[in-house]
Structure formats: C-alpha cells, structure tokens
Amino acid sequence: MNENLHQLRCFGCGAQIKGAEAQPDFRCAVCGDLFEVEYPGWGQRRGNDRPNAGALKWLWRERRSSSEALDRSGVWRFRELLPILENFGNAVTLQEGNTPLYQLTRAGKALGIDQLYAKHQGMNPTGSFKDTGMTAALSVAKERGFKWVACASTGNTSAAMSAYAARAGLRSLVLIPEGKIAWGKLSQAMDYGAVTCQLQADFDGCLRLLTQIVKEAPIYLLNSVNPYRLEGQKTPAFEIAEAFDWNVPDHLIVPGGNLGNSSALGKGFRELHELGLVARMPRISVIQAEGANPLVRSFAANQGTSLEPLEAHTRATAIRIGNPASWRKAARAILDTGGWCLDVTEAEIAIAKAELGTEGLGCEPASAVTLAGLKKLRAKGAIGSSETVVLVLTGHTLKDADYTIDFHRGTLLKPEETVGLEAEIDKLRRNAVVVDATPEAVLAQLKGK
Ligand code: F0G
C-alpha cells in the first residue's frame, strides 16, 4: 500500500517538488531556502471533507494500549498526520515519544501561575527530543535505500541518529565540535557505532562542512534542515493537545538553538488547527542563551525578517549555535502565534535548572532556559496568572552531569556572572560532603537542615 501523500514546498519561494527530488543538502535549487513537508489539500478541507476528528482522537489514544511497535511509538501512533513513507512497515522505531507532562507546583506557586507544566522530552529513548525527529527522517533514509546517514551536532542529534541507524543496520557519520559537547552525548555516539569526527570548528562550521560532504557521497543528511525531521518533531504538539483533552494550552515555551524544534511544534499546532482538531494555537515563545541569541537580535532589529549570524558562547552547549538553519520557520511560529523571543543569562539558566531539580525534574541546561524565560515573561506582565503554560524540556539531566556537579560545587559560574544573585544561588546549591563513616557524623549533617 502506498501511504505516501506528501510533497515538499520551499519555505522561501514556494517551489513544490516531490520528496525524492530534494538535493542532498535539502536546499531549494531556485532560492536556497529550506523545504517544508506539505500534504496537498489539507489546508482547504472544509465541512464533511475534513477528517473525522472524534474518530482520529479515539484511534490515537487507543493505539497506546496496542502491542504493535508502530502503535506504541508516540510519533507513529499519529501516522495519519505524517504520511511520509511508501510503507509504514519501513518505520524504524525505539518507541519514542509518549513522554510525561509534569505539573510544576513549586515553580507555579513562586510565579503565581496555577497551571504550569513541563513536557519532558528528555524522557525519550536516547534522552532527548531528537528521537521523535530521528525516527521519521531515518525511516525515510532506510526506505530510499541509503547505506550511510550523517549529521553535525552539539551532541543530542548525533546520539539519536547513531542509535536509530544502529537499529536500522545503517552506518552513521557524526561531526561534532571538539571539546564542546557533553561527555554523555559523545559516549552515546561511540556506543551506537558511529564514525565520530571531532573537528576544530563550532557547530555551524561542522554543518557547513557536512553540507559539502553529502554533495560528494551518497550520504543522507539528518540535520533538521531535512524536513522529515520536523515531521517527527511536530508530534509532541499532538501529545500536548491530547493531554489537555484537545484544549490547547495558552502558552508554549521552547529553547532555541538551530531552531528546528520551535518550527516543528509550530507546524504541529498549525496542522491540528487547519484540520479542525483544535480550536486555536498556543502562543509559542523561543528562549535563547544570551551568548547564542541570533534570533533575539533579529527580532529586536527587524521583527525577525533577517538574521545576522554570530559566534556563539554558552555553557548550555546544546544550543551553542550562531547561525541557526531554521530561523525563518521559527520566526513564523512566533509571529503567527503572538509569542515572544528573548534571551537569558548563564546565571539565570543555572538557577532555573537547579529550581527544576528541587521539583524532582532533571534536565539539561539548554532545557532550563524555558523556566528562566518564563520568569522574565511573567515579570514583564506578558503572561497572566490564569494562563496555562507548558515548558518544553528537551534533554535529560544525565546528558551533562558535569554541568550540574560544577553548579553544586560552586565552580560553574564566575563571580562577575552572579552579581546580586549570590544568595539565591547559595540556597540552591547542595554540594556533596565528605563525612566520617559513623552514625553520629552522618546524623550531625542533618542538624539545621
Ligand atoms: N535542547 C537540547 C537539549 C538540544 O540538544 C537542542 C539542539 C536544543 C534544545 C535546541 O533545539 O536546535 O531545534 O532549536 N541540539 C542540536 C544537536 C543542535 O545537535 O543535538 P533546536
């Protein structure tokens, strides 16, 4: 059965091509912009021609209790909304998605927001949201007969890609910036058998180089310039809508690096809305680290119509990106939904991460920018106390344990970064102490706590 109903549409000039006609770098031959997967006719469906929303919602929920691997995947259980394969039997899955949505009671109370939640995408099989996109795009690579796949990465994409490639029996090539990715992520690429090249370049340089390589060898590019990645990454939008019984939250807050994720979530909610499955879209806001904030600068200078690349610096290495590929798509998600784009400092990120920790939720520093950003939005009155807010936590805390340990030891931040925040930081630090192996010595530690 042919389950493939899609085509690719250039985000810049609108040129439409068949999926298999895309160039190896996924850039438009006419204008050089990126493509988006589109399903002809979806936007125009009206009345009886629309899908039966009630039946689909029932089917998607029902599949969670199925024993079929495809149904148990939080991506492929929504396959009616991502018909990108000739045959769904070709899907490569590690049972990604179906991640938890946690209520944040302490942060909610501190910020005066009753309905504050975290969608924890770090609870995916390789520990980050990248799995949802990888199952989609790697399945396309397999179906089209590629033997090699590749990505440039700040660590999580490479971990996800090498795991899914290993499952599919494909070979994988990883380009990463030397010394600039967290060990947990590097160890995953090694374990899953990728050819891992550490380059004397930043992420943007790695991606530039890989773009040349895929033009010279039959290697399938799996960075988020590949539009099929975003098809998988749009499915957390469906899970979020489902979790709120298809009444979407008021506000979604997403970290911004290469800006694929915010673009994908925007597409997911837009499609649900177009198909009549939800009544409106949430506001989507994107938060960047202060030293890696090209989209924030673009909004400040020209409302997101052009972007100046920069050299990025942040300890949140996952989002250390100065020339984000999907910035136009992310700008559209923000502008279409009335969201905001702002940045947060290194100290604000560290504090927000530790605060999430006090609620029993670990995450990567890159994920904690969402809570830090929410605090700023709340302070400037952009979010009301009765609004429902969802933070998208993108990566698992164990990906970058060094960051957490350095924070609690007090070696993470420089004094000049913490001016005025010392007391707040001290309250959150929980360094491990060396204690004599006696009950008295251990019990003495509890005094005053
Ligand atoms: N959070 C984490 C944990 C990430 O790994 C990334 C991106 C982002 C947020 C930003 O998402 O790029 O879609 O805006 N990591 C990429 C990688 C670039 O190579 O793993 P984005």
PDB file of all heavy atoms in Angstrom, residues 127-130 151-158 185 203 223-224 229-230 233 254-262 286 317-319 321 364 366-367 393-396, ligand 1:
ATOM      1  N   GLY A 127      17.313  10.036  25.372  1.00  0.00           N
ATOM      2  CA  GLY A 127      17.416  11.117  26.351  1.00  0.00           C
ATOM      3  C   GLY A 127      17.217  12.520  25.807  1.00  0.00           C
ATOM      4  O   GLY A 127      17.535  13.487  26.501  1.00  0.00           O
ATOM      5  N   SER A 128      16.695  12.637  24.592  1.00  0.00           N
ATOM      6  CA  SER A 128      16.367  13.991  24.118  1.00  0.00           C
ATOM      7  C   SER A 128      15.237  13.952  23.110  1.00  0.00           C
ATOM      8  O   SER A 128      14.882  12.894  22.583  1.00  0.00           O
ATOM      9  CB  SER A 128      17.586  14.686  23.498  1.00  0.00           C
ATOM     10  OG  SER A 128      17.696  14.375  22.122  1.00  0.00           O
ATOM     11  N   PHE A 129      14.699  15.170  22.827  1.00  0.00           N
ATOM     12  CA  PHE A 129      13.590  15.303  21.874  1.00  0.00           C
ATOM     13  C   PHE A 129      13.969  14.889  20.469  1.00  0.00           C
ATOM     14  O   PHE A 129      13.108  14.708  19.611  1.00  0.00           O
ATOM     15  CB  PHE A 129      13.083  16.752  21.866  1.00  0.00           C
ATOM     16  CG  PHE A 129      14.006  17.738  21.199  1.00  0.00           C
ATOM     17  CD1 PHE A 129      13.752  18.167  19.913  1.00  0.00           C
ATOM     18  CD2 PHE A 129      15.112  18.236  21.850  1.00  0.00           C
ATOM     19  CE1 PHE A 129      14.599  19.078  19.278  1.00  0.00           C
ATOM     20  CE2 PHE A 129      15.966  19.144  21.232  1.00  0.00           C
ATOM     21  CZ  PHE A 129      15.715  19.565  19.945  1.00  0.00           C
ATOM     22  N   LYS A 130      15.264  14.754  20.209  1.00  0.00           N
ATOM     23  CA  LYS A 130      15.715  14.452  18.841  1.00  0.00           C
ATOM     24  C   LYS A 130      15.203  13.109  18.353  1.00  0.00           C
ATOM     25  O   LYS A 130      15.111  12.873  17.160  1.00  0.00           O
ATOM     26  CB  LYS A 130      17.240  14.448  18.781  1.00  0.00           C
ATOM     27  CG  LYS A 130      17.894  15.711  19.257  1.00  0.00           C
ATOM     28  CD  LYS A 130      17.762  16.839  18.273  1.00  0.00           C
ATOM     29  CE  LYS A 130      18.470  18.077  18.806  1.00  0.00           C
ATOM     30  NZ  LYS A 130      18.405  19.210  17.884  1.00  0.00           N
ATOM     31  N   CYS A 151      25.197  13.543  10.439  1.00  0.00           N
ATOM     32  CA  CYS A 151      24.730  14.819  10.976  1.00  0.00           C
ATOM     33  C   CYS A 151      25.909  15.570  11.587  1.00  0.00           C
ATOM     34  O   CYS A 151      26.915  14.966  11.976  1.00  0.00           O
ATOM     35  CB  CYS A 151      23.654  14.616  12.047  1.00  0.00           C
ATOM     36  SG  CYS A 151      24.246  13.888  13.574  1.00  0.00           S
ATOM     37  N   ALA A 152      25.765  16.895  11.644  1.00  0.00           N
ATOM     38  CA  ALA A 152      26.612  17.728  12.507  1.00  0.00           C
ATOM     39  C   ALA A 152      25.806  17.905  13.770  1.00  0.00           C
ATOM     40  O   ALA A 152      24.573  17.937  13.711  1.00  0.00           O
ATOM     41  CB  ALA A 152      26.874  19.071  11.844  1.00  0.00           C
ATOM     42  N   SER A 153      26.480  18.039  14.918  1.00  0.00           N
ATOM     43  CA  SER A 153      25.676  18.044  16.136  1.00  0.00           C
ATOM     44  C   SER A 153      26.369  18.719  17.303  1.00  0.00           C
ATOM     45  O   SER A 153      27.606  18.750  17.386  1.00  0.00           O
ATOM     46  CB  SER A 153      25.345  16.599  16.506  1.00  0.00           C
ATOM     47  OG  SER A 153      24.509  16.563  17.647  1.00  0.00           O
ATOM     48  N   THR A 154      25.541  19.255  18.205  1.00  0.00           N
ATOM     49  CA  THR A 154      26.048  19.666  19.517  1.00  0.00           C
ATOM     50  C   THR A 154      25.891  18.493  20.494  1.00  0.00           C
ATOM     51  O   THR A 154      26.064  18.664  21.695  1.00  0.00           O
ATOM     52  CB  THR A 154      25.306  20.914  20.041  1.00  0.00           C
ATOM     53  OG1 THR A 154      23.898  20.620  20.107  1.00  0.00           O
ATOM     54  CG2 THR A 154      25.519  22.110  19.141  1.00  0.00           C
ATOM     55  N   GLY A 155      25.544  17.324  19.997  1.00  0.00           N
ATOM     56  CA  GLY A 155      25.566  16.104  20.806  1.00  0.00           C
ATOM     57  C   GLY A 155      24.306  15.266  20.795  1.00  0.00           C
ATOM     58  O   GLY A 155      24.379  14.041  20.675  1.00  0.00           O
ATOM     59  N   ASN A 156      23.162  15.897  20.919  1.00  0.00           N
ATOM     60  CA  ASN A 156      21.942  15.090  21.016  1.00  0.00           C
ATOM     61  C   ASN A 156      21.493  14.516  19.684  1.00  0.00           C
ATOM     62  O   ASN A 156      21.051  13.359  19.619  1.00  0.00           O
ATOM     63  CB  ASN A 156      20.813  15.923  21.629  1.00  0.00           C
ATOM     64  CG  ASN A 156      20.954  16.010  23.130  1.00  0.00           C
ATOM     65  OD1 ASN A 156      21.401  15.055  23.765  1.00  0.00           O
ATOM     66  ND2 ASN A 156      20.593  17.145  23.704  1.00  0.00           N
ATOM     67  N   THR A 157      21.604  15.305  18.628  1.00  0.00           N
ATOM     68  CA  THR A 157      21.228  14.769  17.311  1.00  0.00           C
ATOM     69  C   THR A 157      22.102  13.565  16.991  1.00  0.00           C
ATOM     70  O   THR A 157      21.617  12.550  16.477  1.00  0.00           O
ATOM     71  CB  THR A 157      21.396  15.853  16.220  1.00  0.00           C
ATOM     72  OG1 THR A 157      20.585  16.965  16.573  1.00  0.00           O
ATOM     73  CG2 THR A 157      20.962  15.337  14.863  1.00  0.00           C
ATOM     74  N   SER A 158      23.401  13.667  17.302  1.00  0.00           N
ATOM     75  CA  SER A 158      24.307  12.559  16.971  1.00  0.00           C
ATOM     76  C   SER A 158      23.979  11.316  17.798  1.00  0.00           C
ATOM     77  O   SER A 158      24.034  10.184  17.286  1.00  0.00           O
ATOM     78  CB  SER A 158      25.762  12.973  17.153  1.00  0.00           C
ATOM     79  OG  SER A 158      25.972  13.567  18.410  1.00  0.00           O
ATOM     80  N   LYS A 185      26.751  12.631  25.817  1.00  0.00           N
ATOM     81  CA  LYS A 185      26.286  12.567  24.429  1.00  0.00           C
ATOM     82  C   LYS A 185      27.343  11.919  23.527  1.00  0.00           C
ATOM     83  O   LYS A 185      27.022  11.093  22.667  1.00  0.00           O
ATOM     84  CB  LYS A 185      25.975  13.980  23.925  1.00  0.00           C
ATOM     85  CG  LYS A 185      24.965  14.709  24.797  1.00  0.00           C
ATOM     86  CD  LYS A 185      24.767  16.142  24.343  1.00  0.00           C
ATOM     87  CE  LYS A 185      23.912  16.898  25.353  1.00  0.00           C
ATOM     88  NZ  LYS A 185      23.645  18.278  24.960  1.00  0.00           N
ATOM     89  N   PHE A 203      29.645  24.279  15.880  1.00  0.00           N
ATOM     90  CA  PHE A 203      28.555  23.533  15.249  1.00  0.00           C
ATOM     91  C   PHE A 203      28.294  24.048  13.839  1.00  0.00           C
ATOM     92  O   PHE A 203      28.116  23.271  12.893  1.00  0.00           O
ATOM     93  CB  PHE A 203      27.273  23.647  16.090  1.00  0.00           C
ATOM     94  CG  PHE A 203      26.045  23.153  15.370  1.00  0.00           C
ATOM     95  CD1 PHE A 203      25.739  21.797  15.342  1.00  0.00           C
ATOM     96  CD2 PHE A 203      25.210  24.039  14.690  1.00  0.00           C
ATOM     97  CE1 PHE A 203      24.622  21.335  14.656  1.00  0.00           C
ATOM     98  CE2 PHE A 203      24.091  23.580  14.008  1.00  0.00           C
ATOM     99  CZ  PHE A 203      23.798  22.230  13.989  1.00  0.00           C
ATOM    100  N   ASN A 223      20.431  16.354   9.662  1.00  0.00           N
ATOM    101  CA  ASN A 223      20.204  17.562  10.477  1.00  0.00           C
ATOM    102  C   ASN A 223      18.780  18.072  10.231  1.00  0.00           C
ATOM    103  O   ASN A 223      18.103  17.618   9.311  1.00  0.00           O
ATOM    104  CB  ASN A 223      21.248  18.631  10.136  1.00  0.00           C
ATOM    105  CG  ASN A 223      22.539  18.367  10.864  1.00  0.00           C
ATOM    106  OD1 ASN A 223      23.444  17.740  10.314  1.00  0.00           O
ATOM    107  ND2 ASN A 223      22.610  18.792  12.118  1.00  0.00           N
ATOM    108  N   SER A 224      18.379  19.073  11.044  1.00  0.00           N
ATOM    109  CA  SER A 224      16.972  19.486  10.938  1.00  0.00           C
ATOM    110  C   SER A 224      16.685  20.333   9.699  1.00  0.00           C
ATOM    111  O   SER A 224      15.554  20.766   9.492  1.00  0.00           O
ATOM    112  CB  SER A 224      16.510  20.183  12.218  1.00  0.00           C
ATOM    113  OG  SER A 224      17.350  21.272  12.502  1.00  0.00           O
ATOM    114  N   ARG A 229      12.697  15.457   9.512  1.00  0.00           N
ATOM    115  CA  ARG A 229      12.967  15.544  10.959  1.00  0.00           C
ATOM    116  C   ARG A 229      11.835  16.304  11.648  1.00  0.00           C
ATOM    117  O   ARG A 229      11.331  15.905  12.701  1.00  0.00           O
ATOM    118  CB  ARG A 229      14.289  16.294  11.188  1.00  0.00           C
ATOM    119  CG  ARG A 229      15.562  15.470  11.003  1.00  0.00           C
ATOM    120  CD  ARG A 229      15.973  14.782  12.314  1.00  0.00           C
ATOM    121  NE  ARG A 229      15.970  15.700  13.437  1.00  0.00           N
ATOM    122  CZ  ARG A 229      16.944  16.550  13.757  1.00  0.00           C
ATOM    123  NH1 ARG A 229      18.059  16.550  13.064  1.00  0.00           N
ATOM    124  NH2 ARG A 229      16.844  17.348  14.797  1.00  0.00           N
ATOM    125  N   LEU A 230      11.430  17.401  11.030  1.00  0.00           N
ATOM    126  CA  LEU A 230      10.419  18.246  11.669  1.00  0.00           C
ATOM    127  C   LEU A 230       9.059  17.555  11.710  1.00  0.00           C
ATOM    128  O   LEU A 230       8.238  17.844  12.591  1.00  0.00           O
ATOM    129  CB  LEU A 230      10.311  19.597  10.960  1.00  0.00           C
ATOM    130  CG  LEU A 230      11.595  20.423  10.842  1.00  0.00           C
ATOM    131  CD1 LEU A 230      11.268  21.885  10.580  1.00  0.00           C
ATOM    132  CD2 LEU A 230      12.481  20.338  12.073  1.00  0.00           C
ATOM    133  N   GLN A 233       9.201  15.714  14.835  1.00  0.00           N
ATOM    134  CA  GLN A 233       9.273  16.631  15.977  1.00  0.00           C
ATOM    135  C   GLN A 233       7.996  17.453  16.168  1.00  0.00           C
ATOM    136  O   GLN A 233       7.874  18.156  17.173  1.00  0.00           O
ATOM    137  CB  GLN A 233      10.500  17.541  15.833  1.00  0.00           C
ATOM    138  CG  GLN A 233      11.786  16.795  16.186  1.00  0.00           C
ATOM    139  CD  GLN A 233      13.054  17.596  15.989  1.00  0.00           C
ATOM    140  OE1 GLN A 233      14.093  17.041  15.713  1.00  0.00           O
ATOM    141  NE2 GLN A 233      12.989  18.906  16.124  1.00  0.00           N
ATOM    142  N   VAL A 254       9.813  27.226  24.416  1.00  0.00           N
ATOM    143  CA  VAL A 254      10.736  26.265  23.796  1.00  0.00           C
ATOM    144  C   VAL A 254      12.141  26.866  23.749  1.00  0.00           C
ATOM    145  O   VAL A 254      12.285  28.056  23.444  1.00  0.00           O
ATOM    146  CB  VAL A 254      10.282  25.987  22.324  1.00  0.00           C
ATOM    147  CG1 VAL A 254      11.029  24.807  21.736  1.00  0.00           C
ATOM    148  CG2 VAL A 254       8.790  25.770  22.227  1.00  0.00           C
ATOM    149  N   PRO A 255      13.190  26.064  24.018  1.00  0.00           N
ATOM    150  CA  PRO A 255      14.547  26.587  23.839  1.00  0.00           C
ATOM    151  C   PRO A 255      14.858  26.734  22.347  1.00  0.00           C
ATOM    152  O   PRO A 255      14.322  25.981  21.534  1.00  0.00           O
ATOM    153  CB  PRO A 255      15.455  25.500  24.436  1.00  0.00           C
ATOM    154  CG  PRO A 255      14.568  24.428  24.961  1.00  0.00           C
ATOM    155  CD  PRO A 255      13.184  24.669  24.465  1.00  0.00           C
ATOM    156  N   GLY A 256      15.738  27.667  22.011  1.00  0.00           N
ATOM    157  CA  GLY A 256      16.099  27.857  20.609  1.00  0.00           C
ATOM    158  C   GLY A 256      17.581  27.688  20.368  1.00  0.00           C
ATOM    159  O   GLY A 256      18.412  28.351  20.990  1.00  0.00           O
ATOM    160  N   GLY A 257      17.941  26.745  19.467  1.00  0.00           N
ATOM    161  CA  GLY A 257      19.324  26.549  19.048  1.00  0.00           C
ATOM    162  C   GLY A 257      19.365  26.700  17.536  1.00  0.00           C
ATOM    163  O   GLY A 257      19.410  27.798  16.997  1.00  0.00           O
ATOM    164  N   ASN A 258      19.291  25.556  16.849  1.00  0.00           N
ATOM    165  CA  ASN A 258      19.224  25.590  15.388  1.00  0.00           C
ATOM    166  C   ASN A 258      17.804  25.908  14.918  1.00  0.00           C
ATOM    167  O   ASN A 258      17.540  26.033  13.742  1.00  0.00           O
ATOM    168  CB  ASN A 258      19.696  24.242  14.823  1.00  0.00           C
ATOM    169  CG  ASN A 258      20.397  24.382  13.491  1.00  0.00           C
ATOM    170  OD1 ASN A 258      20.854  25.466  13.130  1.00  0.00           O
ATOM    171  ND2 ASN A 258      20.456  23.311  12.746  1.00  0.00           N
ATOM    172  N   LEU A 259      16.883  25.966  15.844  1.00  0.00           N
ATOM    173  CA  LEU A 259      15.502  26.440  15.673  1.00  0.00           C
ATOM    174  C   LEU A 259      14.601  25.490  14.883  1.00  0.00           C
ATOM    175  O   LEU A 259      13.563  25.907  14.344  1.00  0.00           O
ATOM    176  CB  LEU A 259      15.495  27.861  15.072  1.00  0.00           C
ATOM    177  CG  LEU A 259      16.163  28.897  16.001  1.00  0.00           C
ATOM    178  CD1 LEU A 259      16.314  30.238  15.306  1.00  0.00           C
ATOM    179  CD2 LEU A 259      15.356  29.052  17.288  1.00  0.00           C
ATOM    180  N   GLY A 260      14.983  24.213  14.849  1.00  0.00           N
ATOM    181  CA  GLY A 260      14.117  23.208  14.220  1.00  0.00           C
ATOM    182  C   GLY A 260      12.937  22.858  15.112  1.00  0.00           C
ATOM    183  O   GLY A 260      11.813  22.681  14.629  1.00  0.00           O
ATOM    184  N   ASN A 261      13.190  22.779  16.411  1.00  0.00           N
ATOM    185  CA  ASN A 261      12.139  22.284  17.314  1.00  0.00           C
ATOM    186  C   ASN A 261      10.962  23.257  17.412  1.00  0.00           C
ATOM    187  O   ASN A 261       9.803  22.850  17.308  1.00  0.00           O
ATOM    188  CB  ASN A 261      12.736  22.040  18.705  1.00  0.00           C
ATOM    189  CG  ASN A 261      11.919  21.075  19.521  1.00  0.00           C
ATOM    190  OD1 ASN A 261      11.239  20.203  18.979  1.00  0.00           O
ATOM    191  ND2 ASN A 261      11.945  21.229  20.822  1.00  0.00           N
ATOM    192  N   SER A 262      11.267  24.532  17.597  1.00  0.00           N
ATOM    193  CA  SER A 262      10.182  25.516  17.676  1.00  0.00           C
ATOM    194  C   SER A 262       9.405  25.554  16.369  1.00  0.00           C
ATOM    195  O   SER A 262       8.170  25.667  16.362  1.00  0.00           O
ATOM    196  CB  SER A 262      10.743  26.900  18.016  1.00  0.00           C
ATOM    197  OG  SER A 262      11.997  27.104  17.404  1.00  0.00           O
ATOM    198  N   VAL A 286      10.218  31.518  22.074  1.00  0.00           N
ATOM    199  CA  VAL A 286      11.519  30.859  21.944  1.00  0.00           C
ATOM    200  C   VAL A 286      12.520  31.586  22.832  1.00  0.00           C
ATOM    201  O   VAL A 286      12.606  32.808  22.799  1.00  0.00           O
ATOM    202  CB  VAL A 286      11.995  30.894  20.471  1.00  0.00           C
ATOM    203  CG1 VAL A 286      13.418  30.361  20.350  1.00  0.00           C
ATOM    204  CG2 VAL A 286      11.047  30.087  19.592  1.00  0.00           C
ATOM    205  N   THR A 317      25.735  23.858  26.073  1.00  0.00           N
ATOM    206  CA  THR A 317      26.392  23.556  24.785  1.00  0.00           C
ATOM    207  C   THR A 317      25.411  23.089  23.708  1.00  0.00           C
ATOM    208  O   THR A 317      25.671  23.258  22.523  1.00  0.00           O
ATOM    209  CB  THR A 317      27.483  22.482  24.981  1.00  0.00           C
ATOM    210  OG1 THR A 317      26.903  21.380  25.710  1.00  0.00           O
ATOM    211  CG2 THR A 317      28.668  23.021  25.741  1.00  0.00           C
ATOM    212  N   ALA A 318      24.281  22.524  24.114  1.00  0.00           N
ATOM    213  CA  ALA A 318      23.307  22.033  23.126  1.00  0.00           C
ATOM    214  C   ALA A 318      22.804  23.146  22.225  1.00  0.00           C
ATOM    215  O   ALA A 318      22.445  22.915  21.072  1.00  0.00           O
ATOM    216  CB  ALA A 318      22.128  21.372  23.844  1.00  0.00           C
ATOM    217  N   ILE A 319      22.771  24.382  22.763  1.00  0.00           N
ATOM    218  CA  ILE A 319      22.220  25.496  21.978  1.00  0.00           C
ATOM    219  C   ILE A 319      23.301  26.542  21.660  1.00  0.00           C
ATOM    220  O   ILE A 319      23.008  27.718  21.478  1.00  0.00           O
ATOM    221  CB  ILE A 319      21.006  26.146  22.689  1.00  0.00           C
ATOM    222  CG1 ILE A 319      21.328  26.490  24.151  1.00  0.00           C
ATOM    223  CG2 ILE A 319      19.797  25.231  22.624  1.00  0.00           C
ATOM    224  CD1 ILE A 319      20.232  27.300  24.856  1.00  0.00           C
ATOM    225  N   ILE A 321      24.806  27.826  19.144  1.00  0.00           N
ATOM    226  CA  ILE A 321      24.640  27.900  17.691  1.00  0.00           C
ATOM    227  C   ILE A 321      24.437  29.358  17.292  1.00  0.00           C
ATOM    228  O   ILE A 321      23.561  30.038  17.820  1.00  0.00           O
ATOM    229  CB  ILE A 321      23.429  27.033  17.253  1.00  0.00           C
ATOM    230  CG1 ILE A 321      23.725  25.561  17.562  1.00  0.00           C
ATOM    231  CG2 ILE A 321      23.116  27.232  15.769  1.00  0.00           C
ATOM    232  CD1 ILE A 321      22.577  24.622  17.317  1.00  0.00           C
ATOM    233  N   GLU A 364      18.667  19.156  30.970  1.00  0.00           N
ATOM    234  CA  GLU A 364      19.893  19.802  30.503  1.00  0.00           C
ATOM    235  C   GLU A 364      19.803  21.308  30.712  1.00  0.00           C
ATOM    236  O   GLU A 364      18.701  21.856  30.701  1.00  0.00           O
ATOM    237  CB  GLU A 364      20.028  19.585  28.999  1.00  0.00           C
ATOM    238  CG  GLU A 364      20.570  18.266  28.617  1.00  0.00           C
ATOM    239  CD  GLU A 364      21.010  18.281  27.163  1.00  0.00           C
ATOM    240  OE1 GLU A 364      21.701  19.223  26.734  1.00  0.00           O
ATOM    241  OE2 GLU A 364      20.660  17.323  26.472  1.00  0.00           O
ATOM    242  N   ALA A 366      20.283  23.512  28.539  1.00  0.00           N
ATOM    243  CA  ALA A 366      19.564  24.089  27.378  1.00  0.00           C
ATOM    244  C   ALA A 366      18.055  24.051  27.588  1.00  0.00           C
ATOM    245  O   ALA A 366      17.323  24.906  27.080  1.00  0.00           O
ATOM    246  CB  ALA A 366      19.935  23.338  26.100  1.00  0.00           C
ATOM    247  N   SER A 367      17.572  23.061  28.320  1.00  0.00           N
ATOM    248  CA  SER A 367      16.124  22.957  28.561  1.00  0.00           C
ATOM    249  C   SER A 367      15.671  23.978  29.600  1.00  0.00           C
ATOM    250  O   SER A 367      14.540  24.470  29.545  1.00  0.00           O
ATOM    251  CB  SER A 367      15.776  21.561  29.102  1.00  0.00           C
ATOM    252  OG  SER A 367      16.349  20.542  28.321  1.00  0.00           O
ATOM    253  N   LEU A 393      10.923  20.704  28.001  1.00  0.00           N
ATOM    254  CA  LEU A 393      12.260  20.311  28.468  1.00  0.00           C
ATOM    255  C   LEU A 393      12.811  19.329  27.435  1.00  0.00           C
ATOM    256  O   LEU A 393      12.215  18.284  27.186  1.00  0.00           O
ATOM    257  CB  LEU A 393      12.189  19.670  29.857  1.00  0.00           C
ATOM    258  CG  LEU A 393      11.548  20.527  30.958  1.00  0.00           C
ATOM    259  CD1 LEU A 393      11.638  19.821  32.309  1.00  0.00           C
ATOM    260  CD2 LEU A 393      12.184  21.909  31.042  1.00  0.00           C
ATOM    261  N   THR A 394      13.955  19.681  26.862  1.00  0.00           N
ATOM    262  CA  THR A 394      14.396  18.982  25.655  1.00  0.00           C
ATOM    263  C   THR A 394      15.376  17.839  25.896  1.00  0.00           C
ATOM    264  O   THR A 394      15.503  16.945  25.063  1.00  0.00           O
ATOM    265  CB  THR A 394      15.057  20.016  24.724  1.00  0.00           C
ATOM    266  OG1 THR A 394      15.898  20.858  25.535  1.00  0.00           O
ATOM    267  CG2 THR A 394      14.015  20.860  24.021  1.00  0.00           C
ATOM    268  N   GLY A 395      16.095  17.876  27.041  1.00  0.00           N
ATOM    269  CA  GLY A 395      17.122  16.856  27.229  1.00  0.00           C
ATOM    270  C   GLY A 395      17.219  16.385  28.672  1.00  0.00           C
ATOM    271  O   GLY A 395      16.889  17.110  29.616  1.00  0.00           O
ATOM    272  N   HIS A 396      17.697  15.178  28.854  1.00  0.00           N
ATOM    273  CA  HIS A 396      17.811  14.527  30.162  1.00  0.00           C
ATOM    274  C   HIS A 396      18.991  15.096  30.953  1.00  0.00           C
ATOM    275  O   HIS A 396      20.041  15.407  30.380  1.00  0.00           O
ATOM    276  CB  HIS A 396      18.023  13.025  29.928  1.00  0.00           C
ATOM    277  CG  HIS A 396      17.731  12.184  31.115  1.00  0.00           C
ATOM    278  ND1 HIS A 396      18.601  12.082  32.172  1.00  0.00           N
ATOM    279  CD2 HIS A 396      16.676  11.398  31.405  1.00  0.00           C
ATOM    280  CE1 HIS A 396      18.081  11.259  33.075  1.00  0.00           C
ATOM    281  NE2 HIS A 396      16.904  10.840  32.625  1.00  0.00           N
TER     282      HIS A 396
HETATM  283  N1  F0G B   1      17.752  21.499  23.746  1.00  0.00           N
HETATM  284  C1  F0G B   1      18.599  20.491  23.547  1.00  0.00           C
HETATM  285  C2  F0G B   1      18.848  19.571  24.684  1.00  0.00           C
HETATM  286  C3  F0G B   1      19.229  20.317  22.288  1.00  0.00           C
HETATM  287  O1  F0G B   1      20.051  19.303  22.098  1.00  0.00           O
HETATM  288  C4  F0G B   1      18.978  21.254  21.260  1.00  0.00           C
HETATM  289  C5  F0G B   1      19.619  21.129  19.956  1.00  0.00           C
HETATM  290  C6  F0G B   1      18.061  22.289  21.526  1.00  0.00           C
HETATM  291  C7  F0G B   1      17.477  22.386  22.773  1.00  0.00           C
HETATM  292  C8  F0G B   1      17.693  23.289  20.503  1.00  0.00           C
HETATM  293  O2  F0G B   1      16.805  22.759  19.551  1.00  0.00           O
HETATM  294  O3  F0G B   1      18.173  23.201  17.538  1.00  0.00           O
HETATM  295  O4  F0G B   1      15.794  22.539  17.355  1.00  0.00           O
HETATM  296  O5  F0G B   1      16.411  24.788  18.235  1.00  0.00           O
HETATM  297  N2  F0G B   1      20.574  20.332  19.707  1.00  0.00           N
HETATM  298  C9  F0G B   1      21.119  20.084  18.391  1.00  0.00           C
HETATM  299  C10 F0G B   1      22.020  18.885  18.361  1.00  0.00           C
HETATM  300  C11 F0G B   1      21.507  21.229  17.582  1.00  0.00           C
HETATM  301  O6  F0G B   1      22.903  18.787  17.509  1.00  0.00           O
HETATM  302  O7  F0G B   1      21.826  17.999  19.179  1.00  0.00           O
HETATM  303  P1  F0G B   1      16.788  23.346  18.080  1.00  0.00           P
END
